[in-house]
Amino acid sequence: VEKITFSDGQIHFREERTTGMDLYRAKKGDLLTSKINIHQGAVALAPCDLVASTHYQPYAIRVPDVNPDFLVDLLRTPQFVGLLSEQKNKGIKSEQGADFLGDFEIPLLSIEHQERAASFVARKDSLIKGAQLVLSQWKIEPSLFTGTESPLSEIADTGTGSTPSRTNPAYFGGDVNWVLTSEVLENDITATAETLTKEAFKDYVLR
């Protein structure tokens, strides 16, 4: 192991395989922490059987009582990392191993709730990575902004209104497309997830 990155909790491996240092062995799925940087979120699950220097600490997780992904997510929360930093700032030695981490307590949910929480975090992380990828590749084509400029009021009719009450089923399921903000994605909109009835238009003065 070369390092565990703080931002995403990923393990990076050295290209050079030989070392003169003593090593710990961790099995796939074990918890691995950096003794030096655990207070900054350097915590990860071993993606395979591996070895690491004694600056790292491996832990065998008690599966199925503990969901490994849930445990890592919890140990990397700002709240828990803050607790570790607070102890470190009180003069705790620079490297924190099992004797240090073992003094902390965590809330242990039922395994079903652990799995649910871990799944939620995984979906959130996937959305964030997807958004970051889109932003990294997105650019404005300058040619779109050439030519004669006109005020929006001269080329389009604009209006305001309010959302019909969702407690009244008579307002939804009609023939009029109802565009949600989440559906405005820089592409043509030919259909919408929701539609309104003429009654909704009348009662809410939509146009």
Side-chain angles (χ1 to χ4, degrees), residues 80-101:
F80 191 80
V81 169
L83 291 176
L84 298 179
S85 296
E86 183 180 346
Q87 291 300 315
K88 182 178 176 62
N89 293 334
K90 289 181 179 179
I92 301 297
K93 60 183 181 180
S94 59
E95 291 199 3
Q96 293 95 31
D99 54 341
F100 171 79
L101 193 60

Side-chain angles (χ1 to χ4, degrees), residues 76-152:
R76 285 176 46 79
T77 59
Q79 293 84 354
F80 191 80
V81 169
L83 291 176
L84 298 179
S85 296
E86 183 180 346
Q87 291 300 315
K88 182 178 176 62
N89 293 334
K90 289 181 179 179
I92 301 297
K93 60 183 181 180
S94 59
E95 291 199 3
Q96 293 95 31
D99 54 341
F100 171 79
L101 193 60
D103 289 336
F104 290 86
E105 296 182 353
I106 62 173
L108 190 60
L109 308 177
S110 67
I111 191 64
E112 292 80 9
H113 283 85
Q114 291 180 46
E115 292 172 351
R116 206 172 301 166
S119 177
F120 174 81
V121 173
R123 291 197 303 271
K124 180 205 70 174
D125 289 344
S126 178
L127 288 172
I128 291 175
K129 290 179 181 178
Q132 291 173 336
L133 179 62
V134 170
L135 289 175
S136 67
Q137 297 182 352
W138 183 78
K139 63 179 180 179
I140 297 177
E141 177 54 54
S143 63
L144 295 175
F145 298 90
T146 59
T148 304
E149 297 183 0
S150 301
L152 185 61

Side-chain angles (χ1 to χ4, degrees), residues 19 155 176 189:
T19 177
I155 60 176
V176 182
I189 299 175

Side-chain angles (χ1 to χ4, degrees), residues 8-9 21 29 41 47 51 58 63 79 83 85 94 107 134-135 150-153 160 170 172 182 187 190 194 201:
D8 55 9
M21 302 179 64
V51 292
V63 179
Q79 293 84 354
L83 291 176
S85 296
S94 59
V134 170
L135 289 175
S150 301
L152 185 61
S153 59
T160 60
F172 291 86
S182 59
N187 59 310
T190 58
E194 294 183 330
F201 262 64

